[in-house]
Amino acid sequence: MQLKFMYQGEPVDCEERDQKCNVNFCSRDLLMKVLRSMVNPRLAPAIDRIFQVQELFMLADVVSLGENQLHHVIRICDYANSISEKVLAALGVDKEALLTAVLFHDIGKGIEIDDCNEGREASKQEKVPKTLRKYGVPSWVDFRTPAHEHVEKGLSVAETYNLDKPILEAIALHHHVKITPPVLREIALSLVLAPMFVEDILHHEPEQYAAKGSKLTQIVAALDQLCAIERKFQGRVSFNGEPEKMEEELVKDLVIGVNGTDDPRLTALGLPFMGDETVILLDLRAFGSFVQLNSEYTVQATKREILNIIRSVVRVQDRHRIKDAVGLVGGDEYVVITRVMDQEILEKIIERIKGAVKSRTGFGLRIGYGVGKSIPANFHEARTKANLDKKPKLVR
């Protein structure tokens, strides 16, 4: 589908216009570069398509439930793009159709759901509009305003782009289609979703998600719910997107006290922490000199290698013990959060980590650990002990 870039209803070809014109969006190339620098390179085709649909730009001014809605479109495109071709083929869904459906699914959103709109009405049940009923939305489903108003508006916009009927059905039904276990199972396998997320999607508001719909429609609805879960968990929930990254972000939040043991990411990662876990701090020696002598690529690759070394050491402990959490929390500071409180065992773990890091990278470590208090308090104690191991600088 090739569309001309539009502005206020008039066709605009930025390449043909005078470069000094003042028309909004004329710095398209600059905006493209900025957007591409912020997302995974594989999303470049989706970003290109966003610039072909004028109405998508309006979503950049809408924030719903704390998330910018243009960002939401990019995130759901990322999930759709992550589903393997093999899985889509097994479900009989065309990838281009899926990407088009997720691009258009929320295109009708506006100020009625904007968090900044103080006059926003409370949610109330309404009759299903006739426009939606002709696309398969039953009259008896739970249709609410203002939450679902964008579906009818979005459908009218999508129809002007002459989209295929299966895509229009996906837009119309993405808040009401029943997501069946076989379809969800295929998506979960492809995105490597944790079982708790699958259960959340499968049993979410059954009185609302009850209408029959195609597999394409079900995938769009499932990915939309996945994005909602992502907002709730404050991180990527598809383990195809590196669970280690979620773990690293979680460790940072725990040690500085931003989040506690009620953080849902703990459950997702299988870390039933109580809040009084031991914190081990590992600070690299002479890393400043290494940074000065090497490229940024080498520095970052070395930091990542050390993180993986520490993870590999703590993961091979007693397999019946609760898994430890590991993260890089500063420029060259690594943290291990563990349920181990026995000092003798802690010393053995530390010696194994020191030996592995030294033999594989040549770096020594300053070590400190805190036990018996809250995680933030243990982290503070660990940092204090590690700092005591620093050699004083002589002033001449």
Side-chain angles (χ1 to χ4, degrees), residues 257-298:
V258 172
N259 285 346
T261 53
D262 58 343
D263 194 307
R265 289 173 291 179
L266 286 167
T267 306
L269 293 168
L271 297 167
F273 287 170
M274 305 299 291
D276 60 348
E277 281 70 24
T278 299
V279 176
I280 304 172
L281 178 66
L282 309 132
D283 192 4
L284 295 176
R285 293 183 184 273
F287 196 71
S289 301
F290 178 79
V291 170
Q292 292 176 353
L293 296 172
N294 291 274
S295 68
E296 183 64 17
Y297 174 81
T298 303

mmCIF file of all heavy atoms in Angstrom, residues 257-298:
data_model
loop_
_atom_site.group_PDB
_atom_site.id
_atom_site.type_symbol
_atom_site.label_atom_id
_atom_site.label_comp_id
_atom_site.label_asym_id
_atom_site.label_seq_id
_atom_site.Cartn_x
_atom_site.Cartn_y
_atom_site.Cartn_z
ATOM 1 N N GLY A 257 15.614 1.522 46.004
ATOM 2 C CA GLY A 257 14.354 1.638 46.734
ATOM 3 C C GLY A 257 13.204 2.221 45.942
ATOM 4 O O GLY A 257 12.174 2.589 46.507
ATOM 5 N N VAL A 258 13.344 2.320 44.611
ATOM 6 C CA VAL A 258 12.237 2.827 43.786
ATOM 7 C C VAL A 258 11.064 1.864 43.831
ATOM 8 O O VAL A 258 9.906 2.269 43.952
ATOM 9 C CB VAL A 258 12.708 3.039 42.329
ATOM 10 C CG1 VAL A 258 11.520 3.370 41.428
ATOM 11 C CG2 VAL A 258 13.745 4.140 42.262
ATOM 12 N N ASN A 259 11.338 0.574 43.732
ATOM 13 C CA ASN A 259 10.304 -0.459 43.800
ATOM 14 C C ASN A 259 10.658 -1.469 44.885
ATOM 15 O O ASN A 259 11.842 -1.642 45.226
ATOM 16 C CB ASN A 259 10.147 -1.179 42.456
ATOM 17 C CG ASN A 259 9.419 -0.327 41.436
ATOM 18 O OD1 ASN A 259 8.805 0.680 41.787
ATOM 19 N ND2 ASN A 259 9.490 -0.703 40.183
ATOM 20 N N GLY A 260 9.639 -2.139 45.393
ATOM 21 C CA GLY A 260 9.850 -3.141 46.427
ATOM 22 C C GLY A 260 9.479 -4.527 45.952
ATOM 23 O O GLY A 260 9.412 -4.801 44.752
ATOM 24 N N THR A 261 9.162 -5.399 46.902
ATOM 25 C CA THR A 261 8.888 -6.794 46.566
ATOM 26 C C THR A 261 7.507 -7.006 45.952
ATOM 27 O O THR A 261 7.165 -8.121 45.583
ATOM 28 C CB THR A 261 9.008 -7.669 47.826
ATOM 29 O OG1 THR A 261 8.186 -7.108 48.860
ATOM 30 C CG2 THR A 261 10.444 -7.720 48.304
ATOM 31 N N ASP A 262 6.725 -5.938 45.845
ATOM 32 C CA ASP A 262 5.436 -6.060 45.146
ATOM 33 C C ASP A 262 5.593 -5.820 43.649
ATOM 34 O O ASP A 262 4.608 -5.867 42.909
ATOM 35 C CB ASP A 262 4.426 -5.061 45.722
ATOM 36 C CG ASP A 262 4.913 -3.618 45.633
ATOM 37 O OD1 ASP A 262 6.133 -3.408 45.433
ATOM 38 O OD2 ASP A 262 4.086 -2.702 45.786
ATOM 39 N N ASP A 263 6.821 -5.579 43.194
ATOM 40 C CA ASP A 263 7.062 -5.357 41.768
ATOM 41 C C ASP A 263 6.710 -6.620 40.996
ATOM 42 O O ASP A 263 7.272 -7.688 41.256
ATOM 43 C CB ASP A 263 8.539 -5.000 41.534
ATOM 44 C CG ASP A 263 8.789 -4.441 40.142
ATOM 45 O OD1 ASP A 263 8.389 -5.117 39.169
ATOM 46 O OD2 ASP A 263 9.365 -3.359 40.020
ATOM 47 N N PRO A 264 5.780 -6.543 40.008
ATOM 48 C CA PRO A 264 5.345 -7.740 39.277
ATOM 49 C C PRO A 264 6.449 -8.392 38.448
ATOM 50 O O PRO A 264 6.347 -9.554 38.071
ATOM 51 C CB PRO A 264 4.214 -7.229 38.379
ATOM 52 C CG PRO A 264 4.421 -5.754 38.293
ATOM 53 C CD PRO A 264 5.038 -5.343 39.583
ATOM 54 N N ARG A 265 7.547 -7.649 38.167
ATOM 55 C CA ARG A 265 8.646 -8.243 37.404
ATOM 56 C C ARG A 265 9.334 -9.369 38.180
ATOM 57 O O ARG A 265 9.913 -10.276 37.583
ATOM 58 C CB ARG A 265 9.667 -7.159 37.030
ATOM 59 C CG ARG A 265 9.174 -6.187 35.969
ATOM 60 C CD ARG A 265 10.146 -5.043 35.748
ATOM 61 N NE ARG A 265 10.207 -4.157 36.891
ATOM 62 C CZ ARG A 265 10.999 -3.079 36.966
ATOM 63 N NH1 ARG A 265 11.789 -2.769 35.957
ATOM 64 N NH2 ARG A 265 10.983 -2.322 38.038
ATOM 65 N N LEU A 266 9.251 -9.322 39.505
ATOM 66 C CA LEU A 266 9.821 -10.406 40.319
ATOM 67 C C LEU A 266 9.133 -11.727 40.007
ATOM 68 O O LEU A 266 9.787 -12.766 39.847
ATOM 69 C CB LEU A 266 9.687 -10.073 41.811
ATOM 70 C CG LEU A 266 10.635 -8.995 42.360
ATOM 71 C CD1 LEU A 266 10.183 -8.547 43.736
ATOM 72 C CD2 LEU A 266 12.059 -9.523 42.413
ATOM 73 N N THR A 267 7.803 -11.690 39.938
ATOM 74 C CA THR A 267 7.045 -12.904 39.607
ATOM 75 C C THR A 267 7.367 -13.371 38.198
ATOM 76 O O THR A 267 7.542 -14.564 37.938
ATOM 77 C CB THR A 267 5.534 -12.633 39.734
ATOM 78 O OG1 THR A 267 5.260 -12.102 41.026
ATOM 79 C CG2 THR A 267 4.734 -13.910 39.526
ATOM 80 N N ALA A 268 7.468 -12.409 37.261
ATOM 81 C CA ALA A 268 7.745 -12.764 35.872
ATOM 82 C C ALA A 268 9.087 -13.462 35.727
ATOM 83 O O ALA A 268 9.249 -14.372 34.915
ATOM 84 C CB ALA A 268 7.713 -11.515 34.998
ATOM 85 N N LEU A 269 10.064 -13.050 36.533
ATOM 86 C CA LEU A 269 11.411 -13.616 36.438
ATOM 87 C C LEU A 269 11.629 -14.788 37.385
ATOM 88 O O LEU A 269 12.714 -15.368 37.427
ATOM 89 C CB LEU A 269 12.451 -12.525 36.730
ATOM 90 C CG LEU A 269 12.538 -11.401 35.686
ATOM 91 C CD1 LEU A 269 13.369 -10.247 36.213
ATOM 92 C CD2 LEU A 269 13.111 -11.918 34.384
ATOM 93 N N GLY A 270 10.599 -15.151 38.158
ATOM 94 C CA GLY A 270 10.736 -16.276 39.086
ATOM 95 C C GLY A 270 11.631 -15.954 40.260
ATOM 96 O O GLY A 270 12.435 -16.796 40.693
ATOM 97 N N LEU A 271 11.509 -14.736 40.806
ATOM 98 C CA LEU A 271 12.344 -14.302 41.932
ATOM 99 C C LEU A 271 11.451 -13.944 43.126
ATOM 100 O O LEU A 271 11.087 -12.783 43.312
ATOM 101 C CB LEU A 271 13.176 -13.085 41.530
ATOM 102 C CG LEU A 271 14.195 -13.279 40.396
ATOM 103 C CD1 LEU A 271 14.712 -11.931 39.911
ATOM 104 C CD2 LEU A 271 15.352 -14.144 40.875
ATOM 105 N N PRO A 272 11.090 -14.915 43.960
ATOM 106 C CA PRO A 272 10.202 -14.629 45.099
ATOM 107 C C PRO A 272 10.951 -13.988 46.264
ATOM 108 O O PRO A 272 11.106 -14.568 47.343
ATOM 109 C CB PRO A 272 9.670 -16.030 45.469
ATOM 110 C CG PRO A 272 10.777 -16.957 45.067
ATOM 111 C CD PRO A 272 11.430 -16.351 43.863
ATOM 112 N N PHE A 273 11.447 -12.769 46.065
ATOM 113 C CA PHE A 273 12.212 -12.078 47.094
ATOM 114 C C PHE A 273 11.291 -11.566 48.204
ATOM 115 O O PHE A 273 10.130 -11.236 47.963
ATOM 116 C CB PHE A 273 12.991 -10.912 46.493
ATOM 117 C CG PHE A 273 14.192 -11.330 45.669
ATOM 118 C CD1 PHE A 273 14.875 -10.397 44.901
ATOM 119 C CD2 PHE A 273 14.648 -12.636 45.670
ATOM 120 C CE1 PHE A 273 15.981 -10.757 44.138
ATOM 121 C CE2 PHE A 273 15.747 -13.024 44.919
ATOM 122 C CZ PHE A 273 16.414 -12.079 44.151
ATOM 123 N N MET A 274 11.843 -11.458 49.413
ATOM 124 C CA MET A 274 11.079 -11.021 50.577
ATOM 125 C C MET A 274 11.363 -9.568 50.955
ATOM 126 O O MET A 274 10.648 -8.980 51.748
ATOM 127 C CB MET A 274 11.403 -11.927 51.778
ATOM 128 C CG MET A 274 11.186 -13.411 51.520
ATOM 129 S SD MET A 274 9.473 -13.794 51.116
ATOM 130 C CE MET A 274 8.693 -13.480 52.694
ATOM 131 N N GLY A 275 12.448 -9.003 50.443
ATOM 132 C CA GLY A 275 12.789 -7.616 50.747
ATOM 133 C C GLY A 275 13.977 -7.464 51.669
ATOM 134 O O GLY A 275 14.456 -6.349 51.901
ATOM 135 N N ASP A 276 14.459 -8.600 52.240
ATOM 136 C CA ASP A 276 15.610 -8.534 53.142
ATOM 137 C C ASP A 276 16.808 -9.312 52.584
ATOM 138 O O ASP A 276 17.673 -9.766 53.334
ATOM 139 C CB ASP A 276 15.231 -9.098 54.511
ATOM 140 C CG ASP A 276 14.774 -10.559 54.434
ATOM 141 O OD1 ASP A 276 14.537 -11.060 53.298
ATOM 142 O OD2 ASP A 276 14.646 -11.195 55.493
ATOM 143 N N GLU A 277 16.863 -9.445 51.257
ATOM 144 C CA GLU A 277 17.923 -10.242 50.628
ATOM 145 C C GLU A 277 19.292 -9.578 50.796
ATOM 146 O O GLU A 277 19.400 -8.342 50.910
ATOM 147 C CB GLU A 277 17.631 -10.426 49.128
ATOM 148 C CG GLU A 277 16.607 -11.493 48.807
ATOM 149 C CD GLU A 277 15.210 -11.133 49.220
ATOM 150 O OE1 GLU A 277 14.911 -9.927 49.342
ATOM 151 O OE2 GLU A 277 14.382 -12.050 49.420
ATOM 152 N N THR A 278 20.322 -10.406 50.776
ATOM 153 C CA THR A 278 21.697 -9.940 50.833
ATOM 154 C C THR A 278 22.066 -9.264 49.514
ATOM 155 O O THR A 278 21.673 -9.719 48.443
ATOM 156 C CB THR A 278 22.649 -11.125 51.077
ATOM 157 O OG1 THR A 278 22.311 -11.732 52.337
ATOM 158 C CG2 THR A 278 24.109 -10.689 51.104
ATOM 159 N N VAL A 279 22.818 -8.180 49.614
ATOM 160 C CA VAL A 279 23.289 -7.468 48.422
ATOM 161 C C VAL A 279 24.807 -7.513 48.384
ATOM 162 O O VAL A 279 25.473 -7.107 49.344
ATOM 163 C CB VAL A 279 22.812 -6.004 48.418
ATOM 164 C CG1 VAL A 279 23.389 -5.262 47.216
ATOM 165 C CG2 VAL A 279 21.288 -5.936 48.395
ATOM 166 N N ILE A 280 25.348 -8.009 47.277
ATOM 167 C CA ILE A 280 26.799 -8.036 47.064
ATOM 168 C C ILE A 280 27.131 -6.992 45.998
ATOM 169 O O ILE A 280 26.536 -6.993 44.920
ATOM 170 C CB ILE A 280 27.274 -9.425 46.581
ATOM 171 C CG1 ILE A 280 26.859 -10.522 47.565
ATOM 172 C CG2 ILE A 280 28.796 -9.435 46.388
ATOM 173 C CD1 ILE A 280 27.121 -11.929 47.050
ATOM 174 N N LEU A 281 28.073 -6.103 46.299
ATOM 175 C CA LEU A 281 28.513 -5.091 45.338
ATOM 176 C C LEU A 281 29.911 -5.443 44.844
ATOM 177 O O LEU A 281 30.814 -5.726 45.642
ATOM 178 C CB LEU A 281 28.530 -3.703 45.984
ATOM 179 C CG LEU A 281 29.016 -2.553 45.091
ATOM 180 C CD1 LEU A 281 28.041 -2.315 43.948
ATOM 181 C CD2 LEU A 281 29.211 -1.283 45.900
ATOM 182 N N LEU A 282 30.090 -5.440 43.548
ATOM 183 C CA LEU A 282 31.375 -5.774 42.921
ATOM 184 C C LEU A 282 31.799 -4.588 42.054
ATOM 185 O O LEU A 282 31.155 -4.289 41.047
ATOM 186 C CB LEU A 282 31.245 -7.039 42.065
ATOM 187 C CG LEU A 282 30.596 -8.236 42.788
ATOM 188 C CD1 LEU A 282 29.510 -8.847 41.936
ATOM 189 C CD2 LEU A 282 31.629 -9.270 43.136
ATOM 190 N N ASP A 283 32.859 -3.905 42.463
ATOM 191 C CA ASP A 283 33.309 -2.694 41.782
ATOM 192 C C ASP A 283 34.633 -2.987 41.068
ATOM 193 O O ASP A 283 35.595 -3.468 41.686
ATOM 194 C CB ASP A 283 33.509 -1.588 42.829
ATOM 195 C CG ASP A 283 33.700 -0.223 42.198
ATOM 196 O OD1 ASP A 283 33.594 -0.131 40.968
ATOM 197 O OD2 ASP A 283 33.967 0.738 42.943
ATOM 198 N N LEU A 284 34.697 -2.728 39.767
ATOM 199 C CA LEU A 284 35.910 -3.034 38.991
ATOM 200 C C LEU A 284 37.065 -2.119 39.379
ATOM 201 O O LEU A 284 36.894 -0.910 39.529
ATOM 202 C CB LEU A 284 35.630 -2.867 37.496
ATOM 203 C CG LEU A 284 34.616 -3.831 36.867
ATOM 204 C CD1 LEU A 284 34.401 -3.461 35.402
ATOM 205 C CD2 LEU A 284 35.092 -5.267 36.973
ATOM 206 N N ARG A 285 38.244 -2.693 39.496
ATOM 207 C CA ARG A 285 39.452 -1.916 39.769
ATOM 208 C C ARG A 285 40.047 -1.415 38.454
ATOM 209 O O ARG A 285 40.033 -2.124 37.449
ATOM 210 C CB ARG A 285 40.501 -2.781 40.492
ATOM 211 C CG ARG A 285 40.106 -3.206 41.903
ATOM 212 C CD ARG A 285 41.243 -3.992 42.529
ATOM 213 N NE ARG A 285 40.904 -4.519 43.840
ATOM 214 C CZ ARG A 285 41.048 -3.846 44.980
ATOM 215 N NH1 ARG A 285 41.529 -2.605 44.952
ATOM 216 N NH2 ARG A 285 40.730 -4.395 46.139
ATOM 217 N N ALA A 286 40.594 -0.206 38.482
ATOM 218 C CA ALA A 286 41.337 0.375 37.349
ATOM 219 C C ALA A 286 40.514 0.429 36.064
ATOM 220 O O ALA A 286 41.078 0.394 34.972
ATOM 221 C CB ALA A 286 42.634 -0.414 37.114
ATOM 222 N N PHE A 287 39.195 0.510 36.185
ATOM 223 C CA PHE A 287 38.387 0.537 34.974
ATOM 224 C C PHE A 287 38.462 1.898 34.278
ATOM 225 O O PHE A 287 38.311 1.991 33.061
ATOM 226 C CB PHE A 287 36.932 0.187 35.297
ATOM 227 C CG PHE A 287 36.125 -0.185 34.085
ATOM 228 C CD1 PHE A 287 36.348 -1.380 33.420
ATOM 229 C CD2 PHE A 287 35.155 0.670 33.584
ATOM 230 C CE1 PHE A 287 35.615 -1.721 32.282
ATOM 231 C CE2 PHE A 287 34.416 0.339 32.461
ATOM 232 C CZ PHE A 287 34.652 -0.857 31.815
ATOM 233 N N GLY A 288 38.716 2.960 35.046
ATOM 234 C CA GLY A 288 38.841 4.288 34.451
ATOM 235 C C GLY A 288 39.975 4.359 33.443
ATOM 236 O O GLY A 288 39.829 4.940 32.364
ATOM 237 N N SER A 289 41.105 3.733 33.773
ATOM 238 C CA SER A 289 42.248 3.708 32.854
ATOM 239 C C SER A 289 41.909 2.915 31.602
ATOM 240 O O SER A 289 42.285 3.289 30.488
ATOM 241 C CB SER A 289 43.464 3.084 33.547
ATOM 242 O OG SER A 289 43.800 3.812 34.700
ATOM 243 N N PHE A 290 41.162 1.813 31.778
ATOM 244 C CA PHE A 290 40.753 0.984 30.645
ATOM 245 C C PHE A 290 39.856 1.782 29.691
ATOM 246 O O PHE A 290 39.989 1.693 28.473
ATOM 247 C CB PHE A 290 40.011 -0.251 31.171
ATOM 248 C CG PHE A 290 39.502 -1.167 30.094
ATOM 249 C CD1 PHE A 290 40.353 -2.056 29.455
ATOM 250 C CD2 PHE A 290 38.167 -1.146 29.716
ATOM 251 C CE1 PHE A 290 39.883 -2.894 28.451
ATOM 252 C CE2 PHE A 290 37.685 -1.984 28.731
ATOM 253 C CZ PHE A 290 38.549 -2.868 28.098
ATOM 254 N N VAL A 291 38.961 2.593 30.252
ATOM 255 C CA VAL A 291 38.057 3.412 29.441
ATOM 256 C C VAL A 291 38.842 4.414 28.592
ATOM 257 O O VAL A 291 38.548 4.637 27.415
ATOM 258 C CB VAL A 291 37.035 4.155 30.340
ATOM 259 C CG1 VAL A 291 36.251 5.184 29.537
ATOM 260 C CG2 VAL A 291 36.083 3.171 30.993
ATOM 261 N N GLN A 292 39.873 5.017 29.195
ATOM 262 C CA GLN A 292 40.668 6.022 28.484
ATOM 263 C C GLN A 292 41.458 5.425 27.323
ATOM 264 O O GLN A 292 41.726 6.102 26.328
ATOM 265 C CB GLN A 292 41.624 6.702 29.460
ATOM 266 C CG GLN A 292 40.918 7.566 30.495
ATOM 267 C CD GLN A 292 41.880 8.152 31.504
ATOM 268 O OE1 GLN A 292 43.072 7.825 31.527
ATOM 269 N NE2 GLN A 292 41.371 9.026 32.369
ATOM 270 N N LEU A 293 41.821 4.146 27.427
ATOM 271 C CA LEU A 293 42.700 3.524 26.437
ATOM 272 C C LEU A 293 41.954 2.736 25.358
ATOM 273 O O LEU A 293 42.582 2.223 24.427
ATOM 274 C CB LEU A 293 43.694 2.588 27.142
ATOM 275 C CG LEU A 293 44.673 3.265 28.110
ATOM 276 C CD1 LEU A 293 45.456 2.213 28.891
ATOM 277 C CD2 LEU A 293 45.613 4.192 27.362
ATOM 278 N N ASN A 294 40.626 2.623 25.484
ATOM 279 C CA ASN A 294 39.867 1.785 24.551
ATOM 280 C C ASN A 294 38.660 2.522 23.980
ATOM 281 O O ASN A 294 38.191 3.513 24.543
ATOM 282 C CB ASN A 294 39.409 0.498 25.246
ATOM 283 C CG ASN A 294 40.561 -0.427 25.573
ATOM 284 O OD1 ASN A 294 40.988 -1.227 24.753
ATOM 285 N ND2 ASN A 294 41.080 -0.315 26.801
ATOM 286 N N SER A 295 38.164 1.993 22.858
ATOM 287 C CA SER A 295 36.983 2.579 22.212
ATOM 288 C C SER A 295 35.738 2.311 23.037
ATOM 289 O O SER A 295 35.708 1.393 23.877
ATOM 290 C CB SER A 295 36.803 1.993 20.813
ATOM 291 O OG SER A 295 36.445 0.624 20.897
ATOM 292 N N GLU A 296 34.680 3.098 22.781
ATOM 293 C CA GLU A 296 33.413 2.912 23.502
ATOM 294 C C GLU A 296 32.838 1.525 23.244
ATOM 295 O O GLU A 296 32.272 0.896 24.146
ATOM 296 C CB GLU A 296 32.415 3.988 23.060
ATOM 297 C CG GLU A 296 31.074 3.941 23.790
ATOM 298 C CD GLU A 296 31.184 4.227 25.280
ATOM 299 O OE1 GLU A 296 32.209 4.770 25.722
ATOM 300 O OE2 GLU A 296 30.234 3.874 26.005
ATOM 301 N N TYR A 297 33.012 1.034 22.018
ATOM 302 C CA TYR A 297 32.515 -0.309 21.690
ATOM 303 C C TYR A 297 33.193 -1.353 22.566
ATOM 304 O O TYR A 297 32.534 -2.235 23.141
ATOM 305 C CB TYR A 297 32.775 -0.616 20.215
ATOM 306 C CG TYR A 297 32.428 -2.043 19.830
ATOM 307 C CD1 TYR A 297 31.119 -2.412 19.552
ATOM 308 C CD2 TYR A 297 33.418 -3.038 19.783
ATOM 309 C CE1 TYR A 297 30.788 -3.713 19.231
ATOM 310 C CE2 TYR A 297 33.101 -4.341 19.463
ATOM 311 C CZ TYR A 297 31.788 -4.674 19.180
ATOM 312 O OH TYR A 297 31.478 -5.977 18.875
ATOM 313 N N THR A 298 34.514 -1.279 22.699
ATOM 314 C CA THR A 298 35.261 -2.248 23.518
ATOM 315 C C THR A 298 34.863 -2.151 24.979
ATOM 316 O O THR A 298 34.707 -3.164 25.669
ATOM 317 C CB THR A 298 36.773 -2.002 23.377
ATOM 318 O OG1 THR A 298 37.134 -2.081 21.996
ATOM 319 C CG2 THR A 298 37.580 -3.026 24.172
#
